[in-house]
Amino acid sequence: MKMSTVVRSTTKMVSPFLVTYAAYLMLYGHLSPGGGFQGGVILAVAVILLITSHGYQKVRKRFHFNWASLMESSAGAMLVILGLVGLAFGAFYSNFLPIEGGVILPFNVIVGLEVGAAFTFVFYILLRWVESD
């Protein structure tokens, strides 16, 4: 189903702000309400909005299925590596970074990428299943 021009134009204008807000939530989640999960969900919503308004075929050319899968799996691996590096400093996810928030900042960013990619990946899989019917 093709959406109207108003919906498509509005989605194109709103999506960059959603991505920016998602990045803000991921980067400042250790200082304010928010965090990686919330930022990741908003990041996925930006992509899902584009898919629903412009169609799966058109958006899939820019946001490839394999990229979502690769980002999701590599973010999971980075979470494990972050925990193991902390183990070298005394405990799993030990706070070893001398920055404000310590290990929470990279943890939030990685969780945001993981959640955003996972939701996008699930949405792609659901769309493939719908297309096959």
Side-chain angles (χ1 to χ4, degrees):
M1 184 169 114
K2 191 173 182 177
M3 295 284 179
S4 69
T5 305
V6 173
V7 172
R8 284 184 279 149
S9 300
T10 305
T11 304
K12 271 187 178 177
M13 288 189 303
V14 168
S15 289
F17 291 109
L18 286 175
V19 171
T20 304
Y21 186 58
Y24 170 78
L25 286 178
M26 285 187 253
L27 292 174
Y28 290 99
H30 64 290
L31 299 174
S32 63
F37 188 85
Q38 292 85 355
V41 168
I42 292 173
L43 188 65
V45 164
V47 176
I48 292 170
L49 266 177
L50 287 172
I51 291 171
T52 53
S53 65
H54 290 81
Y56 176 61
Q57 301 296 333
K58 188 173 181 180
V59 175
R60 190 175 64 178
K61 291 177 185 170
R62 290 198 176 210
F63 300 102
H64 296 279
F65 178 81
N66 292 337
W67 292 358
S69 174
L70 180 68
M71 183 179 291
E72 197 270 336
S73 58
S74 61
M78 285 191 289
L79 279 175
V80 172
I81 290 170
L82 187 66
L84 290 176
V85 170
L87 192 61
F89 286 91
F92 198 63
Y93 284 114
S94 176
N95 192 5
F96 60 89
L97 292 176
I99 58 173
E100 185 177 354
V103 76
I104 298 173
L105 176 63
F107 181 80
N108 275 339
V109 171
I110 295 170
V111 166
L113 293 175
E114 168 78 24
V115 169
F119 275 112
T120 305
F121 187 66
V122 167
F123 196 74
Y124 276 163
I125 290 173
L126 290 174
L127 282 176
R128 278 186 171 182
W129 182 67
V130 168
E131 279 186 343
S132 66
D133 281 344

